[in-house]
mmCIF file of all heavy atoms in Angstrom:
data_model
loop_
_atom_site.group_PDB
_atom_site.id
_atom_site.type_symbol
_atom_site.label_atom_id
_atom_site.label_comp_id
_atom_site.label_asym_id
_atom_site.label_seq_id
_atom_site.Cartn_x
_atom_site.Cartn_y
_atom_site.Cartn_z
ATOM 1 N N GLN A 4 1.618 7.382 -0.927
ATOM 2 C CA GLN A 4 1.414 8.535 -1.781
ATOM 3 C C GLN A 4 0.250 8.272 -2.747
ATOM 4 O O GLN A 4 0.019 7.138 -3.164
ATOM 5 C CB GLN A 4 2.676 8.853 -2.593
ATOM 6 C CG GLN A 4 3.868 9.278 -1.748
ATOM 7 C CD GLN A 4 3.654 10.641 -1.101
ATOM 8 O OE1 GLN A 4 3.342 11.622 -1.788
ATOM 9 N NE2 GLN A 4 3.819 10.716 0.215
ATOM 10 N N VAL A 5 -0.480 9.329 -3.073
ATOM 11 C CA VAL A 5 -1.630 9.235 -3.968
ATOM 12 C C VAL A 5 -1.397 10.147 -5.168
ATOM 13 O O VAL A 5 -1.131 11.345 -5.005
ATOM 14 C CB VAL A 5 -2.930 9.656 -3.252
ATOM 15 C CG1 VAL A 5 -4.104 9.648 -4.215
ATOM 16 C CG2 VAL A 5 -3.203 8.741 -2.064
ATOM 17 N N ARG A 6 -1.494 9.589 -6.362
ATOM 18 C CA ARG A 6 -1.353 10.375 -7.579
ATOM 19 C C ARG A 6 -2.669 11.063 -7.906
ATOM 20 O O ARG A 6 -3.753 10.485 -7.770
ATOM 21 C CB ARG A 6 -0.934 9.496 -8.763
ATOM 22 C CG ARG A 6 0.432 8.885 -8.630
ATOM 23 C CD ARG A 6 0.715 7.918 -9.773
ATOM 24 N NE ARG A 6 0.912 8.593 -11.048
ATOM 25 C CZ ARG A 6 0.132 8.443 -12.105
ATOM 26 N NH1 ARG A 6 -0.942 7.654 -12.047
ATOM 27 N NH2 ARG A 6 0.389 9.079 -13.236
ATOM 28 N N ALA A 7 -2.550 12.300 -8.375
ATOM 29 C CA ALA A 7 -3.745 13.064 -8.721
ATOM 30 C C ALA A 7 -3.436 14.033 -9.845
ATOM 31 O O ALA A 7 -2.292 14.492 -9.995
ATOM 32 C CB ALA A 7 -4.269 13.823 -7.502
ATOM 33 N N ALA A 8 -4.460 14.334 -10.647
ATOM 34 C CA ALA A 8 -4.359 15.369 -11.674
ATOM 35 C C ALA A 8 -4.787 16.694 -11.046
ATOM 36 O O ALA A 8 -5.869 16.793 -10.466
ATOM 37 C CB ALA A 8 -5.250 15.027 -12.862
ATOM 38 N N VAL A 9 -3.941 17.693 -11.146
ATOM 39 C CA VAL A 9 -4.195 18.984 -10.504
ATOM 40 C C VAL A 9 -4.276 20.071 -11.566
ATOM 41 O O VAL A 9 -3.361 20.216 -12.391
ATOM 42 C CB VAL A 9 -3.085 19.332 -9.495
ATOM 43 C CG1 VAL A 9 -3.370 20.678 -8.826
ATOM 44 C CG2 VAL A 9 -2.951 18.234 -8.440
ATOM 45 N N GLN A 10 -5.375 20.823 -11.554
ATOM 46 C CA GLN A 10 -5.459 21.986 -12.438
ATOM 47 C C GLN A 10 -4.816 23.161 -11.729
ATOM 48 O O GLN A 10 -5.258 23.585 -10.656
ATOM 49 C CB GLN A 10 -6.899 22.317 -12.805
ATOM 50 C CG GLN A 10 -6.977 23.519 -13.751
ATOM 51 C CD GLN A 10 -8.351 23.752 -14.348
ATOM 52 O OE1 GLN A 10 -9.192 22.864 -14.358
ATOM 53 N NE2 GLN A 10 -8.583 24.950 -14.867
ATOM 54 N N THR A 11 -3.757 23.690 -12.329
ATOM 55 C CA THR A 11 -3.009 24.794 -11.721
ATOM 56 C C THR A 11 -3.337 26.132 -12.358
ATOM 57 O O THR A 11 -3.061 27.182 -11.765
ATOM 58 C CB THR A 11 -1.503 24.523 -11.834
ATOM 59 O OG1 THR A 11 -1.161 24.339 -13.218
ATOM 60 C CG2 THR A 11 -1.121 23.266 -11.047
ATOM 61 N N ALA A 12 -3.896 26.096 -13.552
ATOM 62 C CA ALA A 12 -4.265 27.311 -14.276
ATOM 63 C C ALA A 12 -5.184 26.888 -15.418
ATOM 64 O O ALA A 12 -5.286 25.700 -15.733
ATOM 65 C CB ALA A 12 -3.017 28.014 -14.824
ATOM 66 N N PRO A 13 -5.870 27.843 -16.058
ATOM 67 C CA PRO A 13 -6.706 27.465 -17.199
ATOM 68 C C PRO A 13 -5.903 26.699 -18.258
ATOM 69 O O PRO A 13 -4.836 27.130 -18.685
ATOM 70 C CB PRO A 13 -7.189 28.815 -17.731
ATOM 71 C CG PRO A 13 -7.217 29.700 -16.527
ATOM 72 C CD PRO A 13 -6.021 29.281 -15.722
ATOM 73 N N GLY A 14 -6.428 25.536 -18.645
ATOM 74 C CA GLY A 14 -5.784 24.734 -19.674
ATOM 75 C C GLY A 14 -4.565 23.969 -19.226
ATOM 76 O O GLY A 14 -3.892 23.339 -20.043
ATOM 77 N N THR A 15 -4.277 23.990 -17.924
ATOM 78 C CA THR A 15 -3.055 23.340 -17.431
ATOM 79 C C THR A 15 -3.373 22.321 -16.353
ATOM 80 O O THR A 15 -3.940 22.659 -15.311
ATOM 81 C CB THR A 15 -2.074 24.380 -16.860
ATOM 82 O OG1 THR A 15 -1.782 25.353 -17.863
ATOM 83 C CG2 THR A 15 -0.777 23.703 -16.420
ATOM 84 N N ILE A 16 -3.006 21.063 -16.619
ATOM 85 C CA ILE A 16 -3.160 19.975 -15.658
ATOM 86 C C ILE A 16 -1.780 19.386 -15.365
ATOM 87 O O ILE A 16 -1.009 19.093 -16.282
ATOM 88 C CB ILE A 16 -4.073 18.850 -16.204
ATOM 89 C CG1 ILE A 16 -5.493 19.360 -16.451
ATOM 90 C CG2 ILE A 16 -4.076 17.643 -15.270
ATOM 91 C CD1 ILE A 16 -6.337 19.543 -15.210
ATOM 92 N N GLU A 17 -1.463 19.221 -14.094
ATOM 93 C CA GLU A 17 -0.194 18.619 -13.692
ATOM 94 C C GLU A 17 -0.471 17.381 -12.858
ATOM 95 O O GLU A 17 -1.409 17.365 -12.057
ATOM 96 C CB GLU A 17 0.650 19.605 -12.864
ATOM 97 C CG GLU A 17 1.052 20.864 -13.622
ATOM 98 C CD GLU A 17 1.851 21.817 -12.744
ATOM 99 O OE1 GLU A 17 2.133 21.443 -11.561
ATOM 100 O OE2 GLU A 17 2.187 22.925 -13.216
ATOM 101 N N LEU A 18 0.356 16.332 -13.029
ATOM 102 C CA LEU A 18 0.259 15.144 -12.192
ATOM 103 C C LEU A 18 1.116 15.370 -10.948
ATOM 104 O O LEU A 18 2.300 15.685 -11.044
ATOM 105 C CB LEU A 18 0.732 13.898 -12.929
ATOM 106 C CG LEU A 18 -0.319 13.128 -13.750
ATOM 107 C CD1 LEU A 18 -1.327 12.490 -12.808
ATOM 108 C CD2 LEU A 18 -1.011 13.998 -14.773
#
Side-chain angles (χ1 to χ4, degrees):
Q4 295 291 307
V5 176
R6 295 174 71 243
V9 180
Q10 181 170 341
T11 57
T15 303
I16 297 284
E17 298 178 3
L18 271 292

